[in-house]
Amino acid sequence: WGMYVEYIEYKKDFYGKDIPQNLFHRFSKEATKKINYFTSYRIKEVTEDIKEACCEIIELLHEQDVIKNKLLSDERQIASETVDKHSVTLVNKNSSLEKQLLSKKELDKECYRICCKNIIDKRLLYRGSLC
């Protein structure tokens, strides 16, 4: 499979968020890879629930990418300011963002949770032998 969800489908059928089309392809491919891994490549037919899981993972991947990019820009904001004998205290805005950024393990766990929630055929997620 190339991707489980195309951009037009994402916007039209799943009322997707404002992910730029030029980035969507990368996130859709990555989401499809994760779903294939979690289902041990057992998907024979791409159903609506699989597409729904893919869309949710795409949005999570995009959200994490946005956080990562914001962390790379060292933005600071004023925490306090005194007028007499002018004093300004700056705080790094990134500290709250760092808490929102998931580790690779946490990200994979969240993607798996999304699959468990959305994929109706739980046999696809079974990691043991189906024989």
Side-chain angles (χ1 to χ4, degrees), residues 38 107-117 125:
F38 295 138
L107 182 62
D108 285 344
K109 190 174 183 177
E110 184 61 17
C111 290
Y112 185 72
R113 186 196 64 74
I114 289 168
C115 285
C116 289
K117 179 182 83 169
L125 297 167

Side-chain angles (χ1 to χ4, degrees), residues 55-68:
C55 289
E56 203 169 324
I57 292 171
I58 288 166
E59 290 180 351
L60 174 64
L61 295 173
H62 176 255
E63 175 186 290
Q64 288 295 297
D65 193 60
V66 168
I67 292 169
K68 214 179 293 178

Side-chain angles (χ1 to χ4, degrees), residues 32-41 127:
T32 298
K33 284 180 185 178
K34 287 184 179 299
I35 292 171
N36 283 336
Y37 174 76
F38 295 138
T39 61
S40 300
Y41 295 86
R127 301 301 275 173

Side-chain angles (χ1 to χ4, degrees), residues 28-85:
S28 185
K29 274 182 88 168
E30 189 175 341
T32 298
K33 284 180 185 178
K34 287 184 179 299
I35 292 171
N36 283 336
Y37 174 76
F38 295 138
T39 61
S40 300
Y41 295 86
R42 290 191 200 115
I43 295 174
K44 303 288 184 232
E45 177 188 351
V46 182
T47 57
E48 290 301 305
D49 58 319
I50 290 169
K51 289 181 180 186
E52 187 71 40
C54 193
C55 289
E56 203 169 324
I57 292 171
I58 288 166
E59 290 180 351
L60 174 64
L61 295 173
H62 176 255
E63 175 186 290
Q64 288 295 297
D65 193 60
V66 168
I67 292 169
K68 214 179 293 178
N69 288 334
K70 284 182 181 177
L71 283 171
L72 292 175
S73 67
D74 188 31
E75 296 179 28
R76 299 182 185 273
Q77 69 183 33
I78 296 173
S80 66
E81 188 169 1
T82 310
V83 177
D84 287 334
K85 295 188 181 181

Side-chain angles (χ1 to χ4, degrees), residues 3 6 15 89 126:
M3 297 183 301
E6 295 293 336
Y15 308 103
T89 305
Y126 181 66

